[in-house]
Amino acid sequence: MRLGTGHVYDASAPKQRINMTLNEDLVRVARDYTDNLSDYVEKLLASAIEMERRSKLADQEHWDRVCASWTEFHEKHGCVADDHIGDYLPEDRVP
């Protein structure tokens, strides 16, 4: 796998025969665009996987920033619930 090239798989790995069931009309239309349906589908699949990988990474980065923001707020101001938690705890457990 060539890192940093956008490849999420080993492009030099051997090919594997698989069976797929595709819409007959979709295959007919796709053949208007390519003579090599296997290569076409492989490139589309690799592209879709890369988009999913980037989306998941962006989502994780977003939630990391959200958590860091809440941690910073908590360190500056304390827990938002601290002022109200005593209303719900037994007297011997109030902080």
Side-chain angles (χ1 to χ4, degrees):
M1 181 178 337
R2 296 176 302 208
L3 299 178
T5 60
H7 288 283
V8 294
Y9 67 102
D10 182 358
S12 65
K15 303 287 184 177
Q16 178 182 2
R17 285 194 173 274
I18 64 165
N19 290 324
M20 294 180 69
T21 304
L22 300 172
N23 178 288
E24 184 177 297
D25 194 46
L26 181 62
V27 171
R28 181 191 57 77
V29 172
R31 291 203 186 277
D32 289 341
Y33 297 97
T34 184
D35 291 332
N36 188 341
L37 190 58
S38 292
D39 187 53
Y40 195 74
V41 170
E42 184 174 306
K43 288 177 182 175
L44 289 172
L45 183 59
S47 177
I49 289 170
E50 177 63 16
M51 285 178 18
E52 280 294 319
R53 188 189 68 78
R54 287 182 184 183
S55 175
K56 287 182 179 189
L57 181 61
D59 189 55
Q60 182 61 50
E61 289 171 352
H62 165 78
W63 288 112
D64 288 347
R65 287 191 306 273
V66 168
C67 290
S69 178
W70 271 109
T71 298
E72 181 182 344
F73 180 89
H74 180 72
E75 288 170 354
K76 283 183 180 178
H77 306 287
C79 181
V80 175
D82 283 349
D83 293 338
H84 308 286
I85 200 163
D87 297 339
Y88 301 101
L89 292 175
E91 289 183 25
D92 62 333
R93 302 255 344 256
V94 175

